[in-house]
Amino acid sequence: MKIGIISGSHREDSQSEKIARYAATQLQKLGLCDETYLFTLADNPLPFWDEGLWSGDPKWEEAICELRAELQSCDGFIVVSPEWHGMVPAGLKNLFLMFPGSGELAHKPALIIAVSGGAGGGAYPVAELRMSSYKNSRICYLPEHLIVRHAAQVFNEDSAENDDEMHDYLHARLCYCLEMLGEYTQAFQQIRASGKTSLETYTNGM
C-alpha cells in the first residue's frame, strides 16, 4: 500500500513541508503503508493550467508524466495546505486542475492537514478543499481532518523547539487520523476493484 503526500506550500523550508515529512515518518513508524511518496510544490514546479493539457500538447506530457505515474500508483493521500490570506495556495489548486477525470486521484481516500502560523487560522483551507477540489478529481476526503496551529512550535526534529503540550496533543491526533486513513485506504482498494467507479461514461462530476 502506497500513500502519496502533497505539500501545498510554494515556499522553500515551509512549515507545511516539515509537517508533510513528519506525517510520512509516522506512517512508516505505525506500519500503515509499504511506501510513501512526497510531492512538494516548493518553487511551484508545475506550469499553470491551459487548454493544451486537453489537446495533448507535448509540453504537458513532459511536465507531469512522472507526477501522473506516481499519483496513479498511490492508494491514498495526505494533502497538506497552509492558509494564505484565508485561502489554499494557488499552486495547490492548480495541481487539482491537472488531474480531472483521469483517475490518478479518483476514488482514493485523502486526509486534509491544514497549517497555520497563528492561533485561529487553518479552517478555511479545509472548507475550500472539501468544497471544490473533489468534483472532477473524485478524490475522497476523510470526514476527519487535522488543523495544525502555531505550526512552528510542533513537529520539529529538535524537541527543544516544540511546545510539549501542543506537540503531544497534535502528535496523538495525527496518529489517530493516519490510522483512520490506513483503514479507508484498504477499504477503497475494494471499491476501485469493483469496476463500479469507471470514469469513461461520466468524466466530470456534476
Side-chain angles (χ1 to χ4, degrees):
M1 194 164 70
K2 181 176 178 179
I3 302 294
I5 305 164
I6 300 168
S7 175
S9 176
H10 311 178
R11 297 172 54 209
E12 291 187 356
D13 301 319
S14 68
Q15 295 297 321
S16 296
E17 186 172 336
K18 178 191 77 174
I19 292 165
R21 293 186 183 281
Y22 188 90
T25 299
Q26 298 311 307
L27 281 168
Q28 297 284 1
K29 284 184 176 180
L30 292 167
L32 296 174
C33 63
D34 304 307
E35 184 181 356
T36 60
Y37 167 68
L38 175 64
F39 179 76
T40 177
L41 282 163
D43 291 331
N44 202 16
L46 294 176
F48 284 112
W49 179 92
D50 62 40
E51 292 88 345
L53 184 66
W54 291 344
S55 62
D57 188 326
K59 78 171 185 181
W60 280 108
E61 184 60 25
E62 181 179 350
I64 66 172
C65 64
E66 183 177 341
L67 175 59
R68 173 184 285 126
E70 288 285 0
L71 297 180
Q72 187 70 53
S73 69
C74 291
D75 300 295
F77 296 97
I78 299 172
V79 180
V80 184
S81 175
E83 181 175 300
W84 288 0
H85 300 276
M87 297 181 288
V88 168
L92 182 54
K93 296 286 284 189
N94 184 55
L95 182 146
F96 281 103
L97 293 176
M98 307 293 166
F99 304 105
S102 46
E104 291 82 3
L105 307 174
H107 304 290
K108 297 178 182 180
L111 168 67
I112 296 171
I113 300 179
V115 180
S116 174
Y124 286 115
V126 176
E128 187 174 354
L129 288 168
R130 290 191 185 283
M131 179 177 66
S132 61
S133 62
Y134 74 94
K135 175 184 171 286
N136 290 344
S137 72
R138 281 14 187 260
I139 197 168
C140 297
Y141 290 118
L142 269 60
E144 191 75 21
H145 58 257
L146 186 70
I147 298 177
V148 180
R149 299 186 171 109
H150 295 295
Q153 300 175 43
V154 296
F155 299 148
N156 295 300
E157 289 186 14
D158 183 354
S159 60
E161 298 177 1
N162 292 329
D163 178 296
D164 290 341
E165 184 177 357
M166 282 195 298
H167 174 83
D168 290 348
Y169 170 75
L170 287 170
H171 171 82
R173 190 88 188 224
L174 172 64
C175 292
Y176 169 77
C177 291
L178 295 179
E179 289 177 345
M180 185 181 298
L181 176 63
E183 294 299 320
Y184 271 74
T185 300
Q186 290 187 54
F188 270 67
Q189 289 177 326
Q190 181 177 341
I191 292 172
R192 292 194 304 280
S194 72
K196 303 299 183 182
T197 60
S198 170
L199 301 175
E200 293 180 6
T201 304
Y202 302 110
T203 304
N204 296 325
M206 291 187 75

